[in-house]
Amino acid sequence: AFALSLGTNITIWDGYNTADTGWYGPQEDQEVESQSVYNQTWDLEGFFLKGDILTMVGGFDFKNGVGYYDNGNPSDQKSGDIFFDVDNDADYDYALKLNFVDTTTTYNVYKVTNTDNLVAPTYKSDTSTPWIYNPVNNDLVKKDVHFDYYSGLNNSAVDNLKGGDGTHNAVAIDLGLTGIDFSNGFLAHFTMECGNDNLMGASPVPEPQTLLLMGIGLLGLAFVGRKKMGDRA
């Protein structure tokens, strides 16, 4: 289990604590949704961002899902879509559908054109919605984009995140390949079919002051360059 360089933890804590969930404290690592089963080993842990690489980590088996018994009947809880809000209007604009076929891992990007097609999870629909997006043909933005999937990672390989069974899985996506404009930042969301846990993450957006300083610095460099060229002339 090699170490993953995850970058910055951009996970948003959902506000539930030990008193609400019965499981650990104010964080997403080893924490599930309020009133959910909290002794499971397949919770979600966090979103991480390093450059354009967004990595989602959890004890949950993103590839195969997790089986459990619902009223005595076996049920497989599958991965949902990764949703993005890129214009800061609190509505999701895009959905990434993860496809696991044998050794191939790809995703399709869909523009969310109809919020009626946002599907809620089967259990914790109030706190974990949405689960997946049911697109129509003209919603497709990009098809069959590769992503990296890691399974069976030990705690030390993922920044010492806690794991109920000591292992984690990770989905790593290059946001530069999605066909989505993330220049204004983004809000990301993921849950599994039951909605027993969910992840939210927000990318850091440069502050106006930072952008202003960068602009002044670039203008200064340009001025110095022109001055040197003038001196040589």
Side-chain angles (χ1 to χ4, degrees):
F2 54 91
L4 286 178
S5 181
L6 299 176
T8 303
N9 189 334
I10 63 168
T11 310
I12 302 173
W13 177 48
D14 58 15
Y16 294 126
N17 56 31
T18 307
D20 299 307
T21 67
W23 208 12
Y24 295 93
Q27 72 279 310
E28 289 302 312
D29 182 15
Q30 290 292 83
E31 189 250 78
V32 295
E33 294 310 287
S34 178
Q35 301 177 0
S36 294
V37 177
Y38 58 80
N39 58 356
Q40 61 193 9
T41 61
W42 45 275
D43 63 310
L44 303 171
E45 311 294 2
F47 273 123
F48 297 82
L49 187 64
K50 184 176 183 181
D52 285 336
I53 306 299
L54 177 69
T55 303
M56 176 173 64
V57 179
F60 180 72
D61 187 340
F62 297 105
K63 180 177 182 179
N64 301 305
V66 173
Y68 86 119
Y69 279 83
D70 182 12
N71 295 324
N73 299 314
S75 176
D76 292 325
Q77 304 304 300
K78 302 296 186 181
S79 284
D81 300 334
I82 302 178
F83 290 88
F84 290 98
D85 172 17
V86 297
D87 56 11
N88 303 308
D89 65 354
D91 292 322
Y92 293 115
D93 304 297
Y94 295 92
L96 270 62
K97 286 190 173 293
L98 306 177
N99 306 310
F100 298 94
V101 181
D102 298 326
T103 58
T104 302
T105 53
T106 62
Y107 63 85
N108 294 345
V109 183
Y110 294 92
K111 186 171 179 58
V112 177
T113 57
N114 188 344
T115 56
D116 291 338
N117 292 341
L118 294 172
V119 181
T122 58
Y123 175 48
K124 294 302 293 181
S125 59
D126 54 341
T127 57
S128 298
T129 294
W131 167 47
I132 58 172
Y133 179 65
N134 283 333
V136 294
N137 292 335
N138 59 355
D139 291 343
L140 184 64
V141 174
K142 207 148 190 176
K143 186 178 181 181
D144 296 335
V145 186
H146 172 76
F147 70 90
D148 292 319
Y149 181 63
Y150 307 92
S151 61
L153 300 171
N154 63 30
N155 292 345
S156 61
V158 283
D159 288 358
N160 292 311
L161 292 172
K162 300 181 183 73
D165 59 359
T167 61
H168 293 87
N169 307 296
V171 170
I173 294 171
D174 187 341
L175 298 181
L177 302 178
T178 59
I180 304 174
D181 180 8
F182 291 104
S183 60
N184 292 321
F186 65 83
L187 180 73
H189 165 85
F190 174 87
T191 192
M192 66 281 285
E193 185 174 359
C194 61
N196 200 54
D197 200 2
N198 79 82
L199 283 179
M200 299 287 290
S203 66
V205 179
E207 298 178 357
Q209 296 90 337
T210 303
L211 294 175
L212 179 61
L213 288 173
M214 286 178 61
I216 293 173
L218 291 173
L219 287 173
L221 289 173
F223 175 78
V224 171
R226 291 188 63 181
K227 185 176 186 303
K228 287 184 177 179
M229 289 179 65
D231 291 343
R232 284 198 295 269

